[in-house]
mmCIF file of all heavy atoms in Angstrom:
data_model
loop_
_atom_site.group_PDB
_atom_site.id
_atom_site.type_symbol
_atom_site.label_atom_id
_atom_site.label_comp_id
_atom_site.label_asym_id
_atom_site.label_seq_id
_atom_site.Cartn_x
_atom_site.Cartn_y
_atom_site.Cartn_z
ATOM 1 N N GLY A 193 25.900 3.074 -7.653
ATOM 2 C CA GLY A 193 24.883 2.234 -8.415
ATOM 3 C C GLY A 193 24.932 0.775 -7.943
ATOM 4 O O GLY A 193 26.011 0.222 -7.646
ATOM 5 N N LEU A 194 23.736 0.151 -7.936
ATOM 6 C CA LEU A 194 23.615 -1.194 -7.503
ATOM 7 C C LEU A 194 23.203 -2.139 -8.704
ATOM 8 O O LEU A 194 22.134 -1.790 -9.312
ATOM 9 C CB LEU A 194 22.533 -1.365 -6.338
ATOM 10 C CG LEU A 194 22.859 -0.561 -5.140
ATOM 11 C CD1 LEU A 194 21.741 -0.787 -4.106
ATOM 12 C CD2 LEU A 194 24.229 -0.931 -4.497
ATOM 13 N N ALA A 195 24.009 -3.042 -9.127
ATOM 14 C CA ALA A 195 23.707 -3.881 -10.217
ATOM 15 C C ALA A 195 22.657 -4.867 -9.728
ATOM 16 O O ALA A 195 22.751 -5.550 -8.717
ATOM 17 C CB ALA A 195 24.955 -4.645 -10.719
ATOM 18 N N ALA A 196 21.639 -5.115 -10.608
ATOM 19 C CA ALA A 196 20.534 -5.964 -10.278
ATOM 20 C C ALA A 196 20.878 -7.404 -10.140
ATOM 21 O O ALA A 196 20.259 -8.211 -9.403
ATOM 22 C CB ALA A 196 19.363 -5.766 -11.234
ATOM 23 N N GLY A 197 21.876 -7.821 -10.899
ATOM 24 C CA GLY A 197 22.216 -9.275 -10.885
ATOM 25 C C GLY A 197 23.402 -9.628 -10.054
ATOM 26 O O GLY A 197 23.921 -10.739 -10.146
ATOM 27 N N ALA A 198 23.825 -8.829 -9.110
ATOM 28 C CA ALA A 198 24.959 -9.062 -8.302
ATOM 29 C C ALA A 198 24.564 -9.297 -6.839
ATOM 30 O O ALA A 198 23.742 -8.392 -6.307
ATOM 31 C CB ALA A 198 26.008 -7.931 -8.425
ATOM 32 N N PRO A 199 25.091 -10.205 -6.125
ATOM 33 C CA PRO A 199 24.742 -10.324 -4.669
ATOM 34 C C PRO A 199 25.474 -9.177 -3.901
ATOM 35 O O PRO A 199 26.532 -8.740 -4.310
ATOM 36 C CB PRO A 199 25.329 -11.771 -4.290
ATOM 37 C CG PRO A 199 26.447 -12.009 -5.272
ATOM 38 C CD PRO A 199 25.983 -11.341 -6.578
ATOM 39 N N LEU A 200 24.935 -8.883 -2.734
ATOM 40 C CA LEU A 200 25.464 -7.848 -1.942
ATOM 41 C C LEU A 200 25.554 -8.198 -0.444
ATOM 42 O O LEU A 200 24.814 -9.140 -0.083
ATOM 43 C CB LEU A 200 24.661 -6.487 -2.120
ATOM 44 C CG LEU A 200 24.654 -5.827 -3.488
ATOM 45 C CD1 LEU A 200 23.532 -4.804 -3.536
ATOM 46 C CD2 LEU A 200 25.974 -5.229 -3.729
ATOM 47 N N LEU A 201 26.314 -7.553 0.228
ATOM 48 C CA LEU A 201 26.439 -7.792 1.732
ATOM 49 C C LEU A 201 26.095 -6.469 2.418
ATOM 50 O O LEU A 201 26.623 -5.483 2.011
ATOM 51 C CB LEU A 201 27.856 -8.251 2.115
ATOM 52 C CG LEU A 201 28.035 -8.796 3.448
ATOM 53 C CD1 LEU A 201 27.262 -10.094 3.616
ATOM 54 C CD2 LEU A 201 29.521 -9.127 3.737
ATOM 55 N N LEU A 202 25.093 -6.579 3.311
ATOM 56 C CA LEU A 202 24.701 -5.356 4.094
ATOM 57 C C LEU A 202 25.340 -5.361 5.493
ATOM 58 O O LEU A 202 25.235 -6.421 6.233
ATOM 59 C CB LEU A 202 23.177 -5.372 4.267
ATOM 60 C CG LEU A 202 22.639 -4.515 5.452
ATOM 61 C CD1 LEU A 202 22.753 -3.061 5.075
ATOM 62 C CD2 LEU A 202 21.125 -4.819 5.653
ATOM 63 N N ALA A 203 26.052 -4.314 5.860
ATOM 64 C CA ALA A 203 26.507 -4.105 7.191
ATOM 65 C C ALA A 203 25.818 -2.852 7.766
ATOM 66 O O ALA A 203 25.945 -1.788 7.116
ATOM 67 C CB ALA A 203 28.027 -4.014 7.185
ATOM 68 N N ALA A 204 25.154 -3.002 8.856
ATOM 69 C CA ALA A 204 24.443 -1.846 9.492
ATOM 70 C C ALA A 204 24.651 -1.804 10.992
ATOM 71 O O ALA A 204 24.820 -2.880 11.587
ATOM 72 C CB ALA A 204 22.970 -1.998 9.254
ATOM 73 N N ARG A 205 24.797 -0.579 11.534
ATOM 74 C CA ARG A 205 25.053 -0.442 12.950
ATOM 75 C C ARG A 205 24.261 0.753 13.390
ATOM 76 O O ARG A 205 24.188 1.889 12.749
ATOM 77 C CB ARG A 205 26.547 -0.282 13.278
ATOM 78 C CG ARG A 205 26.856 0.040 14.754
ATOM 79 C CD ARG A 205 28.327 -0.106 15.028
ATOM 80 N NE ARG A 205 28.776 -1.419 14.857
ATOM 81 C CZ ARG A 205 29.776 -1.813 13.983
ATOM 82 N NH1 ARG A 205 30.296 -0.899 13.207
ATOM 83 N NH2 ARG A 205 30.068 -3.085 13.817
ATOM 84 N N GLU A 206 23.686 0.590 14.634
ATOM 85 C CA GLU A 206 22.921 1.694 15.200
ATOM 86 C C GLU A 206 23.816 2.831 15.786
ATOM 87 O O GLU A 206 24.797 2.469 16.414
ATOM 88 C CB GLU A 206 22.058 1.171 16.369
ATOM 89 C CG GLU A 206 21.122 2.179 17.054
ATOM 90 C CD GLU A 206 20.278 1.573 18.085
ATOM 91 O OE1 GLU A 206 19.492 0.753 17.810
ATOM 92 O OE2 GLU A 206 20.450 1.991 19.309
ATOM 93 N N ARG A 207 23.536 4.020 15.454
ATOM 94 C CA ARG A 207 24.301 5.132 15.978
ATOM 95 C C ARG A 207 23.682 5.671 17.269
ATOM 96 O O ARG A 207 24.402 6.041 18.229
ATOM 97 C CB ARG A 207 24.324 6.316 14.931
ATOM 98 C CG ARG A 207 25.068 7.457 15.311
ATOM 99 C CD ARG A 207 24.944 8.621 14.367
ATOM 100 N NE ARG A 207 25.410 8.346 13.051
ATOM 101 C CZ ARG A 207 25.390 9.268 12.013
ATOM 102 N NH1 ARG A 207 24.856 10.472 12.258
ATOM 103 N NH2 ARG A 207 25.828 8.951 10.818
ATOM 104 N N SER A 208 22.381 5.731 17.339
ATOM 105 C CA SER A 208 21.698 6.209 18.528
ATOM 106 C C SER A 208 20.166 5.844 18.533
ATOM 107 O O SER A 208 19.667 5.386 17.462
ATOM 108 C CB SER A 208 21.748 7.785 18.671
ATOM 109 O OG SER A 208 21.129 8.443 17.601
ATOM 110 N N ARG A 209 19.611 5.886 19.631
ATOM 111 C CA ARG A 209 18.185 5.640 19.852
ATOM 112 C C ARG A 209 17.595 6.650 20.799
ATOM 113 O O ARG A 209 18.157 6.948 21.786
ATOM 114 C CB ARG A 209 17.870 4.205 20.330
ATOM 115 C CG ARG A 209 16.444 3.923 20.573
ATOM 116 C CD ARG A 209 16.238 2.534 21.242
ATOM 117 N NE ARG A 209 16.862 2.601 22.601
ATOM 118 C CZ ARG A 209 16.185 2.967 23.722
ATOM 119 N NH1 ARG A 209 14.917 3.443 23.647
ATOM 120 N NH2 ARG A 209 16.777 2.975 24.860
ATOM 121 N N HIS A 210 16.441 7.134 20.463
ATOM 122 C CA HIS A 210 15.707 8.045 21.405
ATOM 123 C C HIS A 210 14.225 7.661 21.243
ATOM 124 O O HIS A 210 13.495 8.055 20.354
ATOM 125 C CB HIS A 210 15.839 9.536 21.031
ATOM 126 C CG HIS A 210 15.319 10.528 22.054
ATOM 127 N ND1 HIS A 210 14.068 10.789 22.112
ATOM 128 C CD2 HIS A 210 15.995 11.145 23.029
ATOM 129 C CE1 HIS A 210 13.803 11.635 23.090
ATOM 130 N NE2 HIS A 210 15.044 11.841 23.708
ATOM 131 N N GLY A 211 13.726 6.923 22.220
ATOM 132 C CA GLY A 211 12.332 6.421 22.317
ATOM 133 C C GLY A 211 12.064 5.515 21.094
ATOM 134 O O GLY A 211 12.744 4.517 20.904
ATOM 135 N N ASP A 212 11.132 5.919 20.279
ATOM 136 C CA ASP A 212 10.824 5.097 19.078
ATOM 137 C C ASP A 212 11.549 5.559 17.871
ATOM 138 O O ASP A 212 11.240 5.155 16.733
ATOM 139 C CB ASP A 212 9.241 5.254 18.837
ATOM 140 C CG ASP A 212 8.469 4.558 19.797
ATOM 141 O OD1 ASP A 212 8.924 3.542 20.434
ATOM 142 O OD2 ASP A 212 7.274 4.907 20.052
ATOM 143 N N ASP A 213 12.584 6.349 17.999
ATOM 144 C CA ASP A 213 13.373 6.877 16.834
ATOM 145 C C ASP A 213 14.725 6.279 16.925
ATOM 146 O O ASP A 213 15.408 6.284 17.954
ATOM 147 C CB ASP A 213 13.447 8.393 16.828
ATOM 148 C CG ASP A 213 12.063 9.059 16.670
ATOM 149 O OD1 ASP A 213 11.446 8.805 15.655
ATOM 150 O OD2 ASP A 213 11.645 9.810 17.568
ATOM 151 N N PHE A 214 15.195 5.725 15.800
ATOM 152 C CA PHE A 214 16.453 5.059 15.697
ATOM 153 C C PHE A 214 17.340 5.710 14.540
ATOM 154 O O PHE A 214 16.772 6.089 13.541
ATOM 155 C CB PHE A 214 16.311 3.606 15.438
ATOM 156 C CG PHE A 214 15.454 2.821 16.389
ATOM 157 C CD1 PHE A 214 14.084 2.845 16.267
ATOM 158 C CD2 PHE A 214 15.968 2.158 17.404
ATOM 159 C CE1 PHE A 214 13.229 2.249 17.158
ATOM 160 C CE2 PHE A 214 15.140 1.472 18.315
ATOM 161 C CZ PHE A 214 13.815 1.480 18.161
ATOM 162 N N VAL A 215 18.653 5.734 14.737
ATOM 163 C CA VAL A 215 19.469 6.322 13.688
ATOM 164 C C VAL A 215 20.529 5.182 13.430
ATOM 165 O O VAL A 215 21.244 4.738 14.351
ATOM 166 C CB VAL A 215 20.198 7.592 14.164
ATOM 167 C CG1 VAL A 215 21.112 8.087 13.028
ATOM 168 C CG2 VAL A 215 19.152 8.683 14.478
#
Side-chain angles (χ1 to χ4, degrees):
L194 302 180
L200 294 167
L201 195 61
L202 162 69
R205 179 168 292 119
E206 183 178 297
R207 183 189 293 182
S208 64
R209 176 188 64 87
H210 190 278
D212 288 333
D213 297 302
F214 305 83
V215 179

